[in-house]
Amino acid sequence: MSSPLLELKAVSRTYTSGGEPLTVLREVSLVIQSGEFVAIMGASGSGKSTLMNIIGCLDKPSSGTYSIRGLEVANLDGDALAALRRDTFGFIFQRYNLMSDLSAVENAEVPAVYCGMAKAQRAAHASDLLRELGLGDRLQHHPNQLSGGQQQRVSIARALMNGGPVVLADEPTGALDSQGGKEVMAILVKLHGQGHTIIVVTHDTDIAAYAHRLVRIADGRITSDEQQQKGEADHQAKTGETARDTKPGVAVLGESLKMALRSLVHNRLRTALTMLGIIIGVASVVALMAIGNGAKQDVVERIQAMGTDLLTIMRGPPAVRASADVVTSFLPEDLPSIDGVPGVAMAVPETTLSSLLRFGDQDLTVAVVGTGEDFPQVHDWPPQSGVFFSAEHVKRYAQVVVLGQTTAKNLFPNDTSPLGQYVLIGSAPFLVIGVLSSKGLTPRGDDMDNSAWLPYTTAGARVFGQRFFNDFVVRVKPDADMSVVQANLHTLLMKRHRKEDFNIRNMADTIATANETQNTLTYLLAAIAVISLVVGGIGVMNIMLVSVTERTREIGIRMAIGARGFDVLFQFLTEAVMVCFIGGVVGLVVGVGGGLATSVIAGWRVIFTVAPIVIAFACAFLTGIIFGYLPARKAARLDPIEALARD
Ligand code: ADP
Ligand code: MG
């Protein structure tokens, strides 16, 4: 003998909420065969809904067993129960439980979403069902545009969407007038005629009279169970499930995206404010990284502009900066031997000190550089007018000066040619013999044209009062090996100075150092930006938690009509990710726009690279998943009964 459709054996249900345990069902045993039309009657509070929720797998017995087609419900996991609610049972509630954001068709469609039916097929089937129920002209109406009876018919269509072999109606007429109630009962009678098993809960004898079997319940116990005399309808029992679990994935994804978008549009202001955090985060990552990259490129180019085949010999042992000042061993006597190193094209000493220049009543503090006659060739920096001083000038301690562009402009504002004029440096007069061409900024951003160059002999004797130099700058021959020359210079100076009181830098080192500094800065900016993304993510989480609380009832409905925990989780996760995704796109646009605006307004160079954009975007996406997960999981774990009870 095959198992009965539904079989309850000594089922009890005890609620433990609120201190004392409350036993609502006491050892209820009930067998319902396929194709029956059963009314469950009892006074309010007698346990009818509790029984119905157990039958519909929304709730589980505290003790006793409940089997569906011989399969014990206690042994089924959450997904299997969801599948039963989706494919076997069709719920009709007293208060319809339609989703107010959805049209009649969309409401009826929902159970089919969770079994993976394609959109077009779903909509067609839902429309057919609604037409059969006399709602052909109300398909696109929303629940608040429908009467109670019409809403209840939409909910019946929803119950039948996946076939609904077992229709569970908990006081389906309770909220309707007598006419509406009769119409609903007529539909249930018709469905019974078509082979559906109908279980209807009521406290109304007139309603119960439609059923073929009447089960009375009082205080949690079955007090009577009898067949009512009726011309037994000639029908085929409907037991099979129609749409079986195919691949819910795609349909659920599509539906989740639509629901998410709808919810976001519905709460426009809230969504916009939530997104703000993400927008600011992504925009700042993109813009700051572009600005940082631009600055870095600028520095590299400035360093390269100074010449790539230069070696700078600086005072002080490597990596000990502070000791530079006490080193006095860089002397003119070093120069000939440096020049003699193979591969060295030429070398100049350089000592730079800030000094006061005076012409007429103009006072100007500039960087005064004491150097050799080869300075223009070493630095590839020719005079624009006049000449640079010669070896002869150096030898004779000549009081001549060459000015930089900025110095010349500031000292001679009214277009007078500086050439042939005398300027005072300290207390000594110097004849201006040349003005160098413009060189721009140093890697640090100082104006290299705000300088004046003197023969190192004169500078040492008359301005600085010191014989020793700060640096030597060496130009290496184009065909020479940089590192070999560097090593030879090292050996030479070790021999001459007898200790390592110098360090030799090549351009590659300098660029690497500058890059390091810039990278540190860029990462710092990126860290700040990431922090703002995290703050944005917390905002998303907060608003999602609010959303879950607000929509608890909707979640309950969805679960009652077949959504698995995963479906609910996915829906809320989709919403969180969508907020972050849209925020990411807007942030990207704002970031690129902000970067470009900065370059136009402040004149900074900005360089957009793909990596930070991808990273910022991925961060926004991950933020959605990470910060959306908790609220989504909270939603997925809701108890359908409690969720449904929420207003
Ligand atoms: P009916 O549907 O017959 O009116 P219910 O099955 O809804 O009755 O409820 C039966 C009893 O169980 C009532 O006394 C009710 O207060 C109690 N009850 C129902 N749900 C809960 C719950 N979640 N927690 C505690 N008590 C509950
Ligand atoms: Mg009830």
Side-chain angles (χ1 to χ4, degrees), residues 98-103 106-107 142-143 259 262-263 266 551 554:
L98 299 178
M99 282 172 257
S100 55
D101 284 348
L102 304 185
S103 68
E106 287 168 330
N107 262 295
H142 282 246
M259 289 308 300
R262 204 178 293 225
S263 151
H266 194 255
R551 285 152 66 192
E554 177 198 321

Side-chain angles (χ1 to χ4, degrees), residues 524-547:
L524 206 75
L525 292 179
I528 293 170
V530 167
I531 289 171
S532 73
L533 254 181
V534 170
V535 173
I538 293 171
V540 170
M541 177 151 76
N542 186 29
I543 219 69
M544 289 309 299
L545 284 169
V546 171
S547 182

Side-chain angles (χ1 to χ4, degrees), residues 355-550:
S355 308
L356 193 70
L357 263 66
R358 179 172 294 165
F359 178 76
D361 52 3
Q362 297 283 342
D363 273 356
L364 209 58
T365 303
V366 305
V368 170
V369 185
T371 186
E373 67 279 4
D374 288 331
F375 182 91
Q377 285 93 302
V378 168
H379 287 286
D380 198 9
W381 194 354
Q384 190 193 51
S385 56
V387 293
F388 203 79
F389 48 77
S390 62
E392 193 56 25
H393 285 126
V394 175
K395 207 168 123 198
R396 286 196 291 106
Y397 286 70
Q399 283 180 233
V400 292
V401 62
V402 177
L403 302 180
Q405 287 279 320
T406 309
T407 309
K409 272 196 200 87
N410 291 343
L411 216 51
F412 301 90
N414 355 302
D415 276 350
T416 28
S417 168
L419 298 182
Q421 306 285 353
Y422 280 89
V423 296
L424 282 177
I425 304 179
S427 53
F430 282 76
L431 174 66
V432 179
I433 59 166
V435 176
L436 285 194
S437 52
S438 178
K439 192 78 169 176
L441 302 180
T442 64
R444 283 186 180 167
D446 299 328
D447 181 4
M448 288 200 277
D449 298 321
N450 194 19
S451 310
W453 292 268
L454 314 179
Y456 63 83
T457 46
T458 330
R462 312 221 51 166
V463 183
F464 303 152
Q466 66 179 46
R467 253 190 103 227
F468 56 87
F469 307 125
N470 287 359
D471 311 310
F472 292 109
V473 179
V474 179
R475 179 171 278 274
V476 176
K477 284 179 181 154
D479 52 354
D481 184 331
M482 202 74 168
S483 50
V484 172
V485 177
Q486 190 170 344
N488 287 340
L489 282 170
H490 191 271
T491 315
L492 170 82
L493 288 171
M494 281 303 283
K495 207 183 318 174
R496 289 188 61 85
H497 294 184
R498 293 203 186 82
K499 60 178 186 225
E500 196 172 16
D501 58 357
F502 61 91
N503 65 92
I504 306 176
R505 293 279 199 105
N506 60 41
M507 273 306 151
D509 293 342
T510 313
I511 290 175
T513 312
N515 269 346
E516 227 167 81
T517 317
Q518 286 296 326
N519 281 345
T520 313
L521 221 81
T522 308
Y523 293 145
L524 206 75
L525 292 179
I528 293 170
V530 167
I531 289 171
S532 73
L533 254 181
V534 170
V535 173
I538 293 171
V540 170
M541 177 151 76
N542 186 29
I543 219 69
M544 289 309 299
L545 284 169
V546 171
S547 182
V548 169
T549 310
E550 281 178 353

Side-chain angles (χ1 to χ4, degrees), residues 53-70:
N53 291 336
I54 287 175
I55 292 175
C57 298
L58 281 171
D59 197 4
K60 285 188 173 185
S62 309
S63 67
T65 61
Y66 172 40
S67 318
I68 301 172
R69 294 188 202 94

Side-chain angles (χ1 to χ4, degrees), residues 179-213:
Q179 181 56 32
K182 274 183 194 149
E183 282 171 17
V184 165
M185 289 317 293
I187 293 169
L188 291 184
V189 169
K190 191 171 147 209
L191 289 176
H192 177 236
Q194 290 167 353
H196 293 265
T197 306
I198 312 281
I199 304 172
V200 55
V201 159
T202 184
H203 58 260
D204 181 338
T205 16
D206 292 345
I207 297 299
Y210 287 88
H212 293 224
R213 177 179 168 192

Side-chain angles (χ1 to χ4, degrees), residues 316-344:
V320 186
R321 264 164 201 277
S323 56
D325 285 341
V326 298
V327 175
T328 57
S329 54
F330 281 27
L331 296 171
E333 293 77 48
D334 286 325
L335 264 175
S337 41
I338 291 174
D339 270 330
V341 169
V344 170

Side-chain angles (χ1 to χ4, degrees), residues 15 17 22 24 43-50:
Y15 290 113
S17 61
L22 177 68
V24 175
S44 181
S46 55
K48 307 183 295 294
S49 293
T50 306

